[in-house]
Structures are given as structure tokens and as C-alpha cells.
Amino acid sequence: MNALLFTCLLVPWLVAASARKFDQESQLIMGSVPGKELSGYFIDHLKSRRARRALPLADEPDDSPVEAGGDTSDLPTCLLCVCLTGSVYCEEVSPDMTSVPSLPKETAYLYARFNKIKKIRAKDFSDIVTLKRIDLTGNLISEIEEGAFSKLTMLEELSLAENSLVKLPMLPTKLISFNANHNHLKTKGVKANAFKKMTKLVNLYLADNEMEAVPHIPDCVRTLHLQNNNITEVNVDTFCKSNDTYYLRPSLNEVRMDGNPVVLSKNPDSFTCMKVLPIGRYR
């Protein structure tokens, strides 16, 4: 009788002990991982499981690393770049960025400097009408399709400095600042009236190019950089108006023409409408 009672009490205890041991071995041992890491493990694991459940079988994420020198065209822009509210920063992207990335619809400021972008296509900015500033300094851009900026009615600042451009496309008329320093622009690649309709333009930078003549400069321009080109001549109509002796340009307060072959003192009447003389060669 006593033996039967002992057996009845022992069997449930052994079953419970075995279950506790199995449960402990199938889980992480508490204390073996710091609390913060353990919490992060479960959070990451849960996110991964939810993400995978949300994807169709064919769209399982590929965890393999991107090969060095690969193409960024298939990667989401905000994975390659820093995306903040209204701003996208894509500077010195690795792997190489060779084309303008797809942008969020609300983008107002794009900084894609020092990459290997070679061409700006007409469709690159066609849907991003909110853009106010584009900085593509230090790329390899040699071609811009006509109409590439035609829909950017809010664009105020555009920098194409340090590229390989030989000509300019039609530019947005509301630009306040345009920078095309350090390219290969020649006079035939910059239409004589390229800036004529830009009635808000304040800063115009065309230094370190291969231009032979000064293009038409709007009255609103305050700062004009034309140094280190191949300009050989200026005349009374370059900055002033030969048919209007009362014409003045009070806004133009900085003109750089140093590093050009032109001798500015040969045409002293060329600057009578200006309140400052250009910086350059006078003898």
C-alpha cells in the first residue's frame, strides 16, 4: 500500500521535472546575453519574421552583399542615400552612382555631389516638380537632354560645376543661382540668349571653361564669374547699351574676367554703365 502511494507521487514529479528541463534547453539561457542585446534580438527577429510574411514567396529579400563596383540602379534611393523630409543626400555613393536616382515625390533639395553620373535624361526630374535646389557638382556629366529641367518651375539653385559639359540645355527661368564652373563650355554651346529670360538670376558662375565671348547677362545679376576662359574681346554692348547713354547697371557689383586673353583697357567705354570695373587684365 505504501509502495503504491509512493509510485503515484513520484511519477508526476518526474514528468514535471523533465518538462522543465526540455523547456529550459529549448530557450536562450537567461543571463547569458545582456538584457539590451537580448531585447534587440527578439525585436529584430520579430521584424524579420513579419517582413518575410508580408512578402510573396518570389520577393524574398536577398541577403547577399552588393558586389564592389556594382550598379546602384536596382537599389532603393533611400537605402543608398540619406533621405530627410524634403531633402535627399547622395554624396560619394558606393557602389558607383552613374545616373540620377529616383527621388521621393516631395523632394525639394537634392545633393548628389562627387559621384559618377554621366547623363541627365529628360525623365529624371519630370515628376519632381517640388525641386528648389539641385547640386550635381563633381560628377562626369557630359550630356543633358533638352527638356530635362523644363518642368522644374520652382527651381532656384542649380549647380553643374566640375563636370564635362560642352553645352547647356534650356534652363529654368526662375533660377536665382547657376553654377557651371569647371566644365568644357564653349561659346557655341551657350546660346547668346541662354540667360536673357532669367529675370531673378543673381549669381552666375561660368569660370574655368573655354568660352570665347561673354553671353547676354540679365540686369538682375549681381555676381558674374567668367575668369579663366578664352574671352578675347568686350565692347560697349557686352555690359552696357551703345544706343542708350543713360543706361546703368547698379546691381552688378562683382565681375571677374581675370585669366582671359582680353585686355580690358582697350575698350574703356565698355564699362561706363557699371559702378565697378571688372577684375582682369588692363595692360
Side-chain angles (χ1 to χ4, degrees):
M1 184 69 175
N2 291 335
L4 179 61
L5 179 60
F6 176 77
T7 302
C8 291
L9 293 173
L10 179 63
V11 171
W13 182 86
L14 288 174
V15 172
S18 177
R20 282 197 302 272
K21 182 178 180 183
F22 175 80
D23 187 56
Q24 288 173 351
E25 290 178 350
S26 65
Q27 298 179 18
L28 288 172
I29 301 173
M30 297 303 292
S32 65
V33 181
K36 186 179 291 186
E37 293 184 20
L38 184 62
S39 176
Y41 167 83
F42 283 116
I43 291 172
D44 292 341
H45 181 64
L46 183 59
K47 286 182 179 178
S48 176
R49 289 187 62 189
R50 286 177 177 172
R52 289 179 180 273
R53 281 203 306 269
L55 291 172
L57 185 61
D59 293 332
E60 284 283 325
D62 182 5
D63 296 329
S64 59
V66 179
E67 295 182 7
D71 189 0
T72 63
S73 59
D74 294 331
L75 296 175
T77 298
C78 293
L79 179 63
L80 295 166
C81 311
V82 176
C83 296
L84 303 175
T85 304
S87 300
V88 177
Y89 299 85
C90 302
E91 303 193 359
E92 298 183 279
V93 172
S94 180
D96 294 339
M97 177 176 285
T98 58
S99 60
V100 176
S102 299
L103 301 173
K105 292 286 186 181
E106 72 279 4
T107 303
Y109 304 97
L110 169 64
Y111 303 89
R113 298 178 289 197
F114 309 113
N115 290 294
K116 295 186 178 179
I117 298 171
K118 299 177 181 179
K119 180 179 180 179
I120 300 177
R121 301 165 297 179
K123 65 179 183 179
D124 284 338
F125 302 116
S126 59
D127 295 331
I128 317 297
V129 296
T130 53
L131 278 165
K132 293 182 178 180
R133 179 185 300 160
I134 298 174
D135 192 344
L136 295 168
T137 299
N139 279 277
L140 304 173
I141 301 168
S142 60
E143 181 183 355
I144 302 176
E145 293 181 358
E146 282 296 336
F149 305 118
S150 61
K151 295 184 179 180
L152 303 182
T153 57
M154 298 175 65
L155 194 67
E156 297 177 344
E157 298 180 45
L158 175 61
S159 179
L160 301 170
E162 298 177 41
N163 279 284
S164 301
L165 293 170
V166 296
K167 65 177 183 177
L168 294 178
M170 183 80 67
L171 296 170
T173 58
K174 293 185 179 180
L175 280 181
I176 294 174
S177 180
F178 177 66
N179 189 343
N181 287 345
H182 293 278
N183 276 277
H184 304 296
L185 295 172
K186 296 186 177 182
T187 297
K188 64 180 180 181
V190 182
K191 296 176 182 178
N193 295 327
F195 310 107
K196 187 175 183 179
K197 295 182 179 180
M198 299 170 68
T199 57
K200 295 185 177 181
L201 189 64
V202 173
N203 303 311
L204 179 56
Y205 304 106
L206 297 170
D208 295 279
N209 280 285
E210 301 168 22
M211 299 174 61
E212 301 89 4
V214 179
H216 175 83
I217 308 299
D219 290 351
C220 51
V221 172
R222 298 178 186 176
T223 304
L224 175 63
H225 286 188
L226 291 166
Q227 67 268 29
N228 302 323
N229 276 279
N230 294 324
I231 298 171
T232 57
E233 181 183 1
V234 293
N235 56 52
V236 69
D237 288 310
T238 302
F239 298 106
C240 304
K241 295 181 179 180
S242 58
N243 60 353
D244 186 356
T245 56
Y246 296 100
Y247 175 74
L248 297 174
R249 297 192 73 132
S251 298
L252 193 58
N253 53 33
E254 182 182 333
V255 181
R256 288 195 58 182
M257 297 191 66
D258 44 309
N260 284 282
V262 63
V263 179
L264 300 174
S265 59
K266 286 187 176 181
N267 297 282
D269 293 339
S270 300
F271 315 114
T272 55
C273 65
M274 301 165 59
K275 66 179 183 180
V276 296
L277 289 173
I279 299 170
R281 181 183 173 196
Y282 284 89
R283 61 179 182 177

